[in-house]
Amino acid sequence: MQFLSLFAFVATTVSAAAIESRQVCPVTPLLELVKIRTAFVSAQLVPVTPAQFRPMGPNANLENTFDPLLSVSVTYGRKAVTLGNTFSFAETVLEPAISFTAERLVNPYTTKYTIIMADPDAPSPTTSILTNFLHLIVSDAQPVCVADQERKTVAPYLLPAPSLTPHRYAFFVYRQPPGYVAPPPLQNLLGVVRAGFNVTKYADDNGLEGPIGGNFYREGLANFLGGIGHFYRDEINLAPLPLADDPLLTPTDRSLRNAQGVKASDFPQASPVPAPTARSSSIRQSLDTCCHKPDMQKDILDDISHRRYNPLRGSWVLVSPHRTKRPWQGQKEEPSKNILPTYDPSCYLCPGNKRAQGDSNPQYESTFVFVNDYSAVKEEQTEYHPPKENGTLACRLLRAEGTTGKCYVITFSPEHNLTLADMQPQDIMPVINTWTKIYTSHLDPHSPLLRATGSISNGNGIHTPTQQFRYMQIFENKGSAMGCSNPHPHGQCWATTSLPEEPSLEIQHLQEYRTNQSGAHMLVDYAKLESETGERTVYENESFWAGCPWWATWPFEIMVIAKAHRRALVDFSQREKEDLAETIAEVTRRYDNLFETNFPYSMGLHQAPLSGTDEEIEASHFHIHFYPPLLRSATVRKFLVGYEMMAEPQRDITPEQAAKRLRDCGGELYRRKL
């Protein structure tokens, strides 16, 4: 019995710890819930009592009862739905973002919900013969605190059609029963299945409870005209259009409105407007004008597939933000749960231990550098001479060149269980100093970069090269998901006689930009632009900007860019090195906090080549790439497959969305709170 009691205590403690590590779900105050119900009753979307339910006719009800237990947030771009506010047609073209609070005394992590959007005023509030018109059904939704949701779309979003008189567009949330299986997606999405959709019957047939939450807005042609005239009166002039000239009405709509005797003068204007001009001869032209406002264009990109240009590589990336709504049924990575010891006697990187080739590590107390026991390139090898060009297909198509080099391993700390995210900036400084030292020791003696350095002294495992290398790539692979074979904190450094493809492309485009922009530096300009807008900024200090670049391929990709023109590590002052250490600590800590896991990534420094022309070196600009694979959670990663291998890179969430999530993950490392 004592054993069982102890087991129960441990299980309860572990369960409680797991729950505490989750984000606390907000609930809606009772007075706010009363306000929501009052607004729905006032708008006649629900009756005062079920006996007064009016399913058709003027101002038809959408549901027969409504006792809200949670609040629903709906936003179109940057504009929120607030219990009956008005929207223009142009503002509702794209699918809204919908979230909701948790219910009291209901577990938000195990309970799922269905969201329905419908219009009870089709085709008009006075003749609602098509009520209700269905606009959206989403199942398996969860409260806003649940980050990893797998929502299923049963009926895709159908934007509201322009109408003369304002319609009510309502969003209801229903609780799904345990074991609920979403019905198959509705067919005939533009036809009779959506018109005359019985919301109450659908909920009853599928065992849905509620509605228990809701929100609504109004939209009509009057709002469209008034809204455009109000917000863009400086750019366009609008006047009421004769009914016959309304280009947005279908023949059926026009005949219905004519039969009802509706005139353009029947609906209000936001303010007096002058006669139409050449720029506003039709509503369609006005719509085109408003949708080309810069702010609206940025909002549009949050929900449509589009391509973004990477000026650093001269390439494009496909962005598909709408794909984040699809359910995930593929591979899931195991979250990092291991609690590692400070010292592991079996680790070939820990101080004093033997490595694979029999060499023993010293009892180092900071960083430690040694030549990789399994180097990818050899420093000495048989020289290869390509065959002379003789006009054959083999000489034309089958090209090769010998490459030599040297590969180093750099441990970041003697402690086996640390990562850069665990280390303070002062602990990262020795890593930066080691990077600088190894880079400097391999510089071409004729490089202008040597003027920025003092005397070169090797040591700490850094060997004097026997030949001049062209480029040095310093990088870190963190986590088994990135192919890292040892969890001990370490990175690598490969110096080669060739200029690798990625830095070669970047240097080429940096040179072109500098030439075309009268000596300006691309990444200085880019860091300045991003710092001013802040939209993709994750962290910045006096010397460095860190954020999700406009052209990012990986979901939570980050670039760290020196704000001033710095060609390489050797250009940094002591203060700039300290700022770099601080930036690396902030980035890696936010990564781990994002999904509360040991966040995997590949990180690499790009800087001036060891040996190159003055133009190459002066155009180079120090920056760091972080490429992490995780997409939705600690268990869902991104794969570069299919289209991305055969066509071009593709990403789902936008860099702006990713940056916001990472900005919100600052503060203390989550592991220290456990």
Side-chain angles (χ1 to χ4, degrees), residues 156-471:
Y157 177 69
L158 184 64
L159 71 158
S163 60
L164 282 171
T165 49
H167 286 217
R168 299 164 297 164
Y169 293 92
F171 300 82
F172 276 132
V173 172
Y174 299 80
R175 187 191 308 116
Q176 297 174 184
Y180 179 81
V181 178
L186 295 181
Q187 303 300 316
N188 191 20
L189 297 178
L190 298 178
V192 296
V193 170
R194 288 191 183 252
F197 184 83
N198 192 323
V199 176
T200 303
K201 185 176 186 301
Y202 179 87
D204 291 343
D205 290 348
N206 289 279
L208 301 175
E209 301 175 38
I212 57 172
N215 206 337
F216 69 98
Y217 68 91
R218 292 181 172 88
E219 180 198 305
L221 197 56
N223 298 329
F224 171 72
L225 287 168
I228 295 295
H230 177 71
F231 288 108
Y232 302 107
R233 67 179 65 189
D234 294 335
E235 284 83 9
I236 60 174
N237 294 311
L238 291 174
L241 293 172
L243 191 60
D245 294 337
D246 184 349
L248 296 179
L249 293 181
T250 65
T252 302
D253 284 338
R254 186 173 288 108
S255 63
L256 278 171
R257 274 65 182 268
N258 285 333
Q260 296 164 15
V262 179
K263 303 182 294 297
S265 59
D266 290 340
F267 46 86
Q269 299 295 321
S271 59
V273 290
T277 67
R279 296 180 62 204
S280 57
S281 59
S282 72
I283 294 177
R284 179 61 61 194
Q285 184 173 348
S286 303
L287 177 60
D288 291 341
T289 303
C290 81
C291 287
H292 281 82
K293 296 291 289 182
D295 288 346
M296 293 191 71
Q297 287 296 296
K298 285 194 294 185
D299 291 342
I300 288 174
L301 291 183
D302 287 342
D303 202 61
I304 67 169
S305 54
H306 61 280
R307 299 170 81 211
R308 296 192 182 191
Y309 181 68
N310 181 351
L312 199 54
R313 298 185 75 257
S315 59
W316 292 83
V317 58
L318 174 65
V319 184
S320 313
H322 53 284
R323 279 167 50 92
T324 55
K325 300 167 188 173
R326 66 191 178 114
W328 176 258
Q329 296 178 332
Q331 177 179 333
K332 293 192 175 184
E333 302 295 321
E334 284 296 320
S336 177
K337 299 177 182 177
N338 292 335
I339 300 176
L340 299 174
T342 303
Y343 168 77
D344 183 351
S346 65
C347 170
Y348 59 84
L349 295 179
C350 279
N353 290 355
K354 279 191 175 183
R355 301 201 304 273
Q357 303 291 347
D359 294 332
S360 294
N361 299 327
Q363 292 292 341
Y364 63 93
E365 297 180 353
S366 181
T367 60
F368 170 54
V369 180
F370 63 91
V371 176
N372 197 320
D373 296 322
Y374 298 98
S375 294
V377 287
K378 297 180 178 180
E379 190 171 11
E380 296 181 1
Q381 62 184 16
T382 303
E383 192 170 349
Y384 173 75
H385 298 284
K388 293 182 179 179
E389 176 62 48
N390 57 14
T392 64
L393 286 177
C395 285
R396 192 180 309 159
L397 300 176
L398 308 181
R399 297 177 58 186
E401 62 180 21
T403 297
T404 57
K406 200 163 205 170
C407 299
Y408 294 93
V409 175
I410 308 169
T411 63
F412 298 158
S413 169
E415 295 188 37
H416 183 74
N417 60 348
L418 294 184
T419 68
L420 289 175
D422 295 288
M423 299 165 68
Q424 297 298 320
Q426 62 267 25
D427 301 321
I428 298 176
M429 278 296 294
V431 178
I432 295 173
N433 288 332
T434 301
W435 288 342
T436 305
K437 192 172 186 179
I438 196 170
Y439 175 83
T440 305
S441 67
H442 288 70
L443 277 173
D444 187 329
H446 304 291
S447 172
L449 289 165
L450 278 179
R451 303 189 196 109
T453 68
S455 59
I456 301 175
S457 61
N458 291 340
N460 190 27
I462 301 173
H463 295 234
T464 301
T466 58
Q467 59 183 309
Q468 182 56 57
F469 298 125
R470 178 87 159 92
Y471 191 79

Side-chain angles (χ1 to χ4, degrees), residues 63 88 117 156 251 430 509 517:
E63 266 284 12
S88 69
M117 174 189 177
H509 287 91
Q517 302 300 325

